[in-house]
Amino acid sequence: MNIDKVLQLLSGRDGMTDALGIVYLSTEDENTCKAIMEVDSRHCQPFGFLSGGASLALAENLSGVASLALCPGKVSLGINVSANHIKAVRMGDTVTATATLVHGGTTHHVWNIDITNSKGPLTSTARNTTCILDPAEADKTKDGGSKE
């Protein structure tokens, strides 16, 4: 999946991606996207291990970028994310997340996101659903309003 246009769109915008230092990567497969994140103090719980919340943020942001790549001119919003954390990751390691499209509808995408450490073992597996909206519809959701 080529995400170059999405990266241009997001360039210069503050948000979770910049706060966590997430780097997105294009892939050869049109139904997958990758990201890497160096685990530092921003991502860790008090004992020096990657927080599950940081893994969830990585998973949700990656699948949002992937949905944007599949739906140019649209907005993607994460509406459900869940994960199982399988192996601890220590501060100083780098994790790689791979999002694979499970369902690619016109209004919703479902992604499976596997996160591995630098040695390769699976550390977390997540599932995220993104809602695909026209920008005008997304504006209606501001200030707590629903799209309906």
Side-chain angles (χ1 to χ4, degrees), residues 77-121:
L77 304 172
I79 59 172
N80 186 36
V81 63
S82 62
N84 291 303
H85 306 296
I86 298 160
K87 186 177 177 88
V89 177
R90 290 194 180 276
M91 188 177 338
D93 203 348
T94 298
V95 291
T96 300
T98 303
T100 304
L101 185 65
V102 176
H103 168 76
T106 57
T107 60
H108 293 87
H109 292 167
V110 177
W111 295 91
N112 190 73
I113 305 96
D114 286 336
I115 302 173
T116 59
N117 67 20
S118 60
K119 294 180 182 174

Side-chain angles (χ1 to χ4, degrees), residues 74 77 132-142 146-147:
K74 302 284 186 175
L77 304 172
I132 311 302
L133 300 173
D134 287 317
E137 288 179 277
D139 285 341
K140 292 178 187 176
T141 66
K142 290 181 180 176
S146 70
K147 73 171 199 161

Side-chain angles (χ1 to χ4, degrees), residues 16-22 37-45 48-55 57-58 89 91-93 95:
M16 187 71 70
T17 294
D18 289 334
L20 294 179
I22 299 169
M37 183 174 75
E38 292 184 28
V39 180
D40 60 34
S41 61
R42 296 173 292 179
H43 313 108
C44 290
Q45 42 87 309
F49 293 99
L50 177 63
S51 166
S55 295
L58 173 60
V89 177
M91 188 177 338
D93 203 348
V95 291

